[in-house]
């Protein structure tokens, strides 16, 4: 009887220790065997994970399921009129959503929402065809709470043949490749990441996840689960240990435009790498070029005197990358005032607004909202282009009206 009790106790302990094994052990990440997957971060970084989960970074791409797609398909008008004979209708069939083209009242073709891109300002969608994704002609814009033409699409006729290539995913997803290979990420090559012109669905890691910004975490997770009392981060990239340029490069990877000459796949970039090894800029940030407000946040900031005259200023000075930009303008003003204490506005400016109010919203005047030259859209039954408005990151003194 005593032997049975001992055997039973050993069995319980065996089950217990099996259940406590690293949850990432059985996980195979399409980026390589040295990745653990973002869900492994929850065990120790619940607060940061919960914040990131709601952020625009994390939702830069997502499967097109109800709840991820902007716009209410259950009510309201979801019809876009091209002309008297042609219309495109957003339709819901069960749990699937479609953009359906009608000509003279007859259905011509229908394409499903398969992946959505973006959530903060606008959202465009793609559908799968022959191992590639193609952009749908209508996007949802939060500024108008309605559907309008996707950027660059005409308002006189719909078409469904614009391919969204893998390089587009490199800033909206953490991975997308043409091969699933069980190897270390260092052994991956540009052929599978960018050159081969197909995408395997199972290789997509949606959104900008923890390991996109902190690097492969398999060793980190294994070490800290075995050594829970050690609080110094092991085998992971901590931004406080990076140089200013390394921190800037990690953000500039996706926030400095994509008009440079590509040297290596952006999917291969890891925090701490030099961006110049991956992308060779064709225009210097110090020239007088007018960079567009969309996608050029770093290059606009780099033209600002605040940035040029500071040895420490970087993107994290104002932004917490784990969450969306704060809507509290006064919180940014406190950061401005840490360098600009005692400065007074001139009489002309003070006539527009009291000094106290000016001091609580620096960005409204010094980082004004501007129209993008790269993105414009058209509303249903309209030939007029509507402007896509974003806040510039070029900090400066702008003329008052």
């Amino acid at each position: 009887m005593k032997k049975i009790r001992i055997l039973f106790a050993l069995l319980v302990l065996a089950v217990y220790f099996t259940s406590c094994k690293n949850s990432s052990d059985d996980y195979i990440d399409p980026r390589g065997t040295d990745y653990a997957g973002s869900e492994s971060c929850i065990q120790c970084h619940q607060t940061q994970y919960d914040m990131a989960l709601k952020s625009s970074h994390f939702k830069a791409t997502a499967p097109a399921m109800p709840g991820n797609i902007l716009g209410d398909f259950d009510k309201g008008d979801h019809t876009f009129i091209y002309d008297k004979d042609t219309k495109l209708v957003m339709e819901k069939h069960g749990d699937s959503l479609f953009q359906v083209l009608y000509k003279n009242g007859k259905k011509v073709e229908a394409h499903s929402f398969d992946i959505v891109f973006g959530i903060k300002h606008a959202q465009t969608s793609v559908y799968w065809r022959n191992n590639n994704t193609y952009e749908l002609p209508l996007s949802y814009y939060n500024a108008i709470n309605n559907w309008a033409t996707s950027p660059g699409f005409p308002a006189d006729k719909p078409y469904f043949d614009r391919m969204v290539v893998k390089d587009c995913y490199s800033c909206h997803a953490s991975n997308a490749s043409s091969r699933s290979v069980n190897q270390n990420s260092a052994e991956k090559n540009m052929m599978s990441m960018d050159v081969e012109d197909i995408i395997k669905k199972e290789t997509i890691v949606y959104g900008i996840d923890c390991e996109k910004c902190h690097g492969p975490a398999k060793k980190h997770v294994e070490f800290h689960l075995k050594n829970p009392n050690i609080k110094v981060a092991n085998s992971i990239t901590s931004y406080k240990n990076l140089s200013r340029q390394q921190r800037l490069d990690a953000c500039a990877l996706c926030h400095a435009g994509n008009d440079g000459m590509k040297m290596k796949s952006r999917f291969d970039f890891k925090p701490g790498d030099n961006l110049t090894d991956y992308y060779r800029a064709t225009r210097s940030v110090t020239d007088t070029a007018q960079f567009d407000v969309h996608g050029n946040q770093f290059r606009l900031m780099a033209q600002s005197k605040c940035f040029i005259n500071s040895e420490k200023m970087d993107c994290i000075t104002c932004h917490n990358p784990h969450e969306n930009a704060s809507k509290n303008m006064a919180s940014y003003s406190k950061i401005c005032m840490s360098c600009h204490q005692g400065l007074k506005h001139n009489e002309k400016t003070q006539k527009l607004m009291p000094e106290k109010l000016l001091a609580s919203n620096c960005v409204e005047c010094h980082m004004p909202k501007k129209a993008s030259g790269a993105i414009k859209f058209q509303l249903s039954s309209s030939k007029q282009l509507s402007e896509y408005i974003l806040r510039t990151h070029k900090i400066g003194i702008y003329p008052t009206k």
Side-chain angles (χ1 to χ4, degrees):
M1 189 70 180
K2 187 177 180 180
K3 287 183 178 179
I4 293 174
R5 284 200 298 269
I6 292 171
L7 288 171
F8 180 75
L10 290 172
L11 179 62
V12 170
L13 285 171
V15 171
Y16 173 77
F17 284 116
T18 300
S19 65
C20 285
K21 74 173 184 175
N22 179 5
S23 61
S24 69
D25 283 345
D26 298 326
Y27 172 74
I28 300 175
D29 193 287
R31 287 169 288 190
T33 55
D34 46 343
Y35 282 80
S38 284
E39 289 193 5
S40 65
C41 303
I42 301 173
Q43 302 168 87
C44 301
H45 303 287
Q46 184 77 52
T47 301
Q48 291 87 345
Y49 184 87
D50 288 345
M51 282 195 298
L53 197 63
K54 301 171 186 175
S55 71
S56 300
H57 275 147
F58 217 84
K59 296 181 178 180
T61 47
M65 301 182 297
N68 288 340
I69 300 179
L70 296 178
D72 188 347
F73 280 67
D74 295 320
K75 60 183 179 181
D77 183 14
H78 301 297
T79 300
F80 188 95
I81 305 298
Y82 287 92
D83 56 46
K84 63 182 180 65
D85 302 318
T86 310
K87 65 180 181 180
L88 195 60
V89 184
M90 273 57 67
E91 296 182 0
K92 183 177 181 181
H93 301 286
D95 289 333
S96 299
L97 304 170
F98 295 84
Q99 289 191 12
V100 185
L101 176 62
Y102 290 89
K103 283 272 194 181
N104 299 312
K106 294 182 179 180
K107 183 191 289 189
V108 176
E109 58 183 308
H111 297 286
S112 60
F113 288 72
D114 289 329
I115 300 173
V116 292
F117 283 68
I119 195 167
K120 185 177 180 181
H121 300 290
Q123 185 179 81
T124 195
S125 306
V126 300
Y127 72 96
W128 283 101
R129 188 178 81 196
N130 298 330
N131 293 314
N132 270 304
T133 54
Y134 293 81
E135 189 170 5
L136 293 172
L138 298 182
S139 294
Y140 192 90
Y141 295 85
N142 283 323
I144 59 172
N145 293 318
N146 210 338
W147 301 91
T149 54
S150 296
F153 278 73
D156 58 344
K157 61 179 180 179
Y159 68 96
F160 299 89
D161 296 323
R162 180 189 285 176
M163 185 188 295
V164 176
V165 297
K166 272 184 283 189
D167 199 40
C168 297
Y169 285 87
S170 65
C171 282
H172 284 269
S174 296
N175 191 75
S177 63
S178 58
R179 304 182 201 173
S180 298
V181 182
N182 188 25
Q183 59 187 181
N184 186 285
S185 62
E187 299 170 321
K188 299 274 184 177
N189 60 61
M190 195 165 171
M191 285 296 292
S192 66
M193 301 309 293
D194 280 347
V195 177
E196 291 180 346
D197 199 19
I198 65 167
I199 301 173
K200 290 181 74 71
K201 291 182 183 181
E202 61 270 23
T203 68
I204 296 178
V205 177
Y206 291 102
I208 306 304
D209 75 345
C210 308
E211 290 174 287
K212 176 77 168 179
C213 295
H214 290 283
K218 189 79 171 225
K219 290 182 180 179
H220 171 75
V221 172
E222 290 173 348
F223 177 86
H224 285 285
L225 287 178
K226 291 177 182 176
N227 303 277
N229 294 324
I230 297 179
K231 303 303 179 185
V232 177
N234 182 281
S235 301
I236 200 73
T237 300
S238 175
Y239 275 65
K240 64 183 179 182
N241 296 328
L242 296 180
S243 69
R244 181 201 191 196
Q245 189 58 53
Q246 287 174 321
R247 293 195 299 272
L248 289 167
D249 280 358
C251 298
L253 178 71
C254 293
H255 291 282
N258 61 354
D259 58 349
M261 181 172 62
K262 183 163 61 176
M263 316 293 288
K264 295 163 64 176
S265 171
R266 277 188 281 202
F267 285 122
D268 291 335
F269 181 94
K270 295 177 179 63
D273 287 353
N274 296 318
L275 185 58
T276 52
D277 292 335
Y278 292 81
Y279 249 68
R280 193 67 50 81
T282 54
R283 291 188 290 169
S284 169
V285 294
T286 58
D287 66 20
T288 56
Q290 295 296 310
F291 293 113
D292 194 80
V293 290
H294 175 261
N296 284 291
Q297 293 89 342
F298 166 71
R299 291 199 282 193
L300 288 166
M301 179 182 70
Q303 291 184 335
S304 310
K305 286 185 179 180
C306 289
F307 178 83
I308 294 167
N309 294 330
S310 171
E311 295 181 356
K312 297 181 178 180
M313 184 180 180
D314 59 27
C315 307
I316 301 176
T317 301
C318 298
H319 296 294
N320 178 351
H322 292 130
E323 59 184 349
N324 289 333
S326 174
K327 294 181 180 180
N328 179 6
M329 296 296 103
S331 65
Y332 298 112
S333 295
K334 288 181 181 179
I335 299 168
C336 299
M337 293 302 177
S338 65
C339 291
H340 295 287
Q341 292 175 355
L343 288 180
K344 295 288 184 181
H345 294 94
N346 60 36
E347 289 185 21
K348 183 179 179 182
T349 304
Q350 290 184 47
K351 286 180 181 178
L352 298 174
M353 191 180 293
E355 184 77 20
K356 192 172 182 180
L357 289 177
L358 285 168
S360 66
N361 193 357
C362 302
V363 299
E364 200 60 46
C365 295
H366 298 290
M367 297 176 65
K369 291 182 178 180
K370 291 182 171 290
S372 168
I375 298 179
K376 296 185 184 297
F377 58 89
Q378 290 172 269
L379 304 177
S380 176
S381 302
S382 173
K383 301 301 179 186
Q384 184 176 351
L385 285 172
S386 296
E387 293 184 326
Y388 189 66
I389 307 296
L390 295 170
R391 192 173 297 284
T392 182
H393 277 65
K394 185 174 182 179
I395 309 163
I397 298 173
Y398 292 84
T400 54
K401 294 180 181 179

